[in-house]
Amino acid sequence: MDIIEKCDCTAVHEDILNKVKNNMPCENNLYNLAETFKILSDGTRVKILYALLNSDMCVCDISALLDMTQSAISHQLRVLKQARLVKYRREGKSVYYSLDDEHIKSIFDQALVHINEK
Amino acid sequence: MDIIEKCDCTAVHEDILNKVKNNMPCENNLYNLAETFKILSDGTRVKILYALLNSDMCVCDISALLDMTQSAISHQLRVLKQARLVKYRREGKSVYYSLDDEHIKSIFDQALVHINEK
DNA sequence: CTAACATATGAACATATATTCATATGTTTA
DNA sequence: TAAACATATGAATATATGTTCATATGTTAG
């Protein structure tokens, strides 16, 4: 039984490796970070979140705003809902969506600072 | 020739729509936002960035740290390089990568605030 | 110059994901 | 209750993406 070698380099810097290894966030946080960014990595979802930043909206309004089918919007709202980024309430035939996270704006703003300096 | 109807609802709220429409960031910013988050949406890339937050590292070190093949790391470093999130310098046979963005930490921190409140 | 080492890269493959289409569910009005 | 409306959802499709494998490029030691 062979040990699988992922890195066969001989030049590994043990000191650096140990220092960095000790400062790495836990696996769980790293996973959640990537998952969070994955939710925000789609243009349609970013637009929806930005829209909701200004006003609650029903699915119909969002469809009209983004000029996309109701189905496409509905699917994306489900993703945002599962990620707990938005919540919803029913009002008659309509379903209104709103933000369920106070940090979205800060996250967007930080990313925009990055973008606007490049 | 028919006009394609993306939303055939009759219940569109014109006032809300106009208000939101005026407050939407430009298409370009929205696109760049999603693109930025897409770069950060992969676990391997998040780990690499967190590692580089503590120390410059050669490809070999990163491979060893994450227990992944040199090739996989190299491919991801290329993505990060193209996104201008990391830069590199050659030192003999090794290539050292380092962060090329001061905002990564703030972006991660903001996202972690979100994560840790859910 | 040649061998050994460190990194980069193209192609292939498997997997994930966004949208469409058809249709189901839920609500109100007539 | 039936019809119209608003939204949700499963299946299918097309596309994007991460890793592996093989190999190329670049650097240094002998």
Side-chain angles (χ1 to χ4, degrees):
Chain A
M1 174 184 149
D2 286 335
I3 293 168
I4 297 163
E5 295 290 342
K6 293 287 182 173
C7 172
D8 54 359
C9 304
T10 59
V12 174
H13 304 79
E14 292 294 347
D15 50 338
I16 293 182
L17 221 64
N18 285 326
K19 177 191 165 198
V20 172
K21 205 174 278 183
N22 289 331
N23 283 311
M24 287 293 275
C26 68
E27 192 66 41
N28 209 26
N29 265 346
L30 291 166
Y31 177 81
N32 287 330
L33 262 182
E35 283 304 300
T36 299
F37 291 129
K38 191 169 290 176
I39 302 292
L40 304 177
S41 73
D42 176 74
T44 300
R45 288 194 291 268
V46 168
K47 287 177 190 172
I48 293 175
L49 290 172
Y50 250 110
L52 295 181
L53 220 46
N54 281 302
S55 171
D56 298 3
M57 284 200 280
C58 68
V59 180
C60 186
D61 289 340
I62 302 175
S63 297
L65 176 70
L66 304 190
D67 191 34
M68 292 176 64
T69 65
Q70 173 268 318
S71 181
I73 299 298
S74 214
H75 278 294
Q76 296 296 9
L77 283 169
R78 188 163 58 91
V79 174
L80 292 172
K81 199 188 334 174
Q82 285 173 340
R84 302 212 176 191
L85 290 175
V86 303
K87 59 190 173 190
Y88 66 98
R89 66 177 189 280
R90 178 144 227 148
E91 278 188 21
K93 283 179 285 190
S94 299
V95 176
Y96 283 79
Y97 282 83
S98 58
L99 286 187
D100 191 21
D101 189 287
E102 315 125 32
H103 313 107
I104 284 296
K105 185 75 167 57
S106 329
I107 295 176
F108 281 166
D109 285 346
Q110 271 303 320
L112 282 173
V113 171
H114 153 75
I115 289 165
N116 292 324
E117 286 202 3
K118 292 285 169 174
Chain B
M1 175 184 150
D2 286 333
I3 294 169
I4 296 165
E5 296 289 346
K6 294 287 182 172
C7 172
D8 54 359
C9 304
T10 59
V12 174
H13 304 79
E14 293 293 347
D15 49 339
I16 293 183
L17 222 62
N18 285 327
K19 177 193 166 198
V20 172
K21 204 173 283 184
N22 290 330
N23 282 312
M24 287 292 275
C26 67
E27 191 66 41
N28 209 26
N29 265 347
L30 291 166
Y31 176 81
N32 287 330
L33 262 182
E35 284 303 300
T36 299
F37 291 129
K38 189 169 293 177
I39 301 292
L40 304 177
S41 72
D42 175 74
T44 301
R45 288 193 292 267
V46 168
K47 287 177 190 171
I48 292 175
L49 291 172
Y50 250 111
L52 295 181
L53 221 46
N54 282 302
S55 172
D56 298 3
M57 283 200 281
C58 67
V59 180
C60 186
D61 289 339
I62 303 174
S63 297
L65 175 70
L66 305 189
D67 191 33
M68 291 176 65
T69 65
Q70 173 267 319
S71 181
I73 299 299
S74 213
H75 277 295
Q76 295 297 10
L77 284 170
R78 187 162 58 93
V79 174
L80 293 171
K81 200 189 333 177
Q82 284 173 341
R84 300 210 177 195
L85 290 175
V86 304
K87 59 190 173 191
Y88 66 97
R89 67 175 188 281
R90 179 144 225 149
E91 279 189 20
K93 282 180 285 190
S94 299
V95 176
Y96 283 79
Y97 281 83
S98 58
L99 286 187
D100 191 22
D101 188 287
E102 314 125 34
H103 313 106
I104 284 297
K105 185 74 168 57
S106 330
I107 295 175
F108 281 166
D109 285 346
Q110 271 304 320
L112 282 173
V113 171
H114 153 76
I115 289 165
N116 292 324
E117 285 201 5
K118 292 285 170 173

